Amino acid sequence: MRTTIAAIAAGFALTLVTATAADACSRNVSAKAAKTMVPAKGINQSLLDDAIRVEVNFHRCRAGLSKLSDAGNGLNKQAHRHSAWMAKTQQLTHKSTVAGSATLKQRLKNSGIRFKAGSENIGMVHRYQIDNKRFKIVNSNACQFVSNDGQPLPAHSYATLARHAVTLWMNSPGHRKNILSKKVSKTSTAVAFDPNAQYCGRYWLTQNFVG
């Protein structure tokens, strides 16, 4: 059994957030999102998208900004396509080699949605709750991990994956700027899974904003 720490490719800078409006801002996800573990196959994209939007709107509420609505299936499909490409190629980047959808602008246009402003957040998160933590591998074949004090580190639920991803984006200046932009009114997020990544796999996320 060995101790290690996992890192993810998203900026992580300490951010001070005022708590004055916290009590008035909802952060409640659905019971299904809270209780359901994100599977390796057959991911419920809508359930994750909704959970992430709850987190995004919580932070926007604290900043005194309006809520973002669902950008629709067209943008979600483009986000999923980009996430799948990143998972397949192991590249965390806004540019892909997908013909006709290689850039953010092309993906937004292909979604069929009308927009004047658009932006994109991307990230990758391990399937198990080990990111930015020191942990011990109990059984790598069975995907059993514990914290240094022996607490089990389970696979992410839809709710914990959403909160972890959005927290990482909020702690990164560029990603935070996209989330708190006054120019956007809709958002859509999709995820793809890479089962071959170290520590029992990683999720690759693409979050798009339009206004």
Side-chain angles (χ1 to χ4, degrees):
M1 184 168 64
R2 61 192 179 90
T3 300
T4 186
I5 186 168
I8 81 165
F12 208 129
L14 181 64
T15 305
L16 298 179
V17 180
T18 60
T20 55
D23 294 338
C25 298
S26 173
R27 202 177 195 177
N28 297 324
V29 299
S30 70
K32 185 176 181 180
K35 295 178 180 179
T36 307
M37 296 297 177
V38 185
K41 295 181 179 180
I43 297 173
N44 188 328
Q45 297 289 337
S46 178
L47 191 59
L48 181 65
D49 186 28
D50 289 344
I52 285 183
R53 192 159 37 253
V54 167
E55 291 293 321
V56 165
N57 283 332
F58 169 75
H59 290 291
R60 286 181 65 89
C61 177
R62 285 173 62 113
L65 300 171
S66 60
K67 290 184 177 181
L68 301 184
S69 61
D70 184 358
N73 290 336
L75 191 56
N76 189 270
K77 288 179 180 178
Q78 290 296 316
H80 182 260
R81 192 178 187 185
H82 187 64
S83 290
W85 180 88
M86 290 193 296
K88 181 179 180 180
T89 63
Q90 298 289 295
Q91 297 182 64
L92 190 67
T93 173
H94 295 284
K95 293 184 179 181
S96 75
T97 58
V98 178
S101 296
T103 66
L104 170 60
K105 187 175 182 179
Q106 289 176 328
R107 290 191 286 276
L108 295 182
K109 285 185 175 181
N110 290 341
S111 72
I113 195 169
R114 298 177 64 180
F115 66 96
K116 293 182 180 179
S119 56
E120 182 174 81
N121 286 345
I122 54 177
M124 57 181 180
V125 176
H126 284 92
R127 185 183 183 195
Y128 285 77
Q129 297 180 42
I130 59 175
D131 288 312
N132 301 313
K133 296 176 182 177
R134 294 196 175 278
F135 64 96
K136 298 175 182 178
I137 301 172
V138 177
N139 186 324
S140 60
N141 292 326
C143 301
Q144 294 179 349
F145 309 99
V146 297
S147 64
N148 274 1
D149 59 1
Q151 296 299 312
L153 298 173
H156 275 291
S157 68
Y158 286 93
T160 62
L161 178 59
R163 181 166 296 190
H164 183 62
V166 175
T167 297
L168 288 168
W169 283 329
M170 284 296 294
N171 286 331
S172 170
H175 298 98
R176 178 188 177 90
K177 182 179 179 180
N178 290 339
I179 290 173
L180 301 182
S181 172
K182 296 179 180 179
K183 297 180 180 180
V184 299
S185 58
K186 299 179 180 181
T187 186
S188 186
T189 306
V191 64
F193 183 65
D194 169 25
N196 299 316
Q198 191 178 23
Y199 308 129
C200 300
R202 287 189 298 202
Y203 297 110
W204 296 73
L205 299 103
T206 301
Q207 179 181 50
N208 291 136
F209 302 89
V210 292

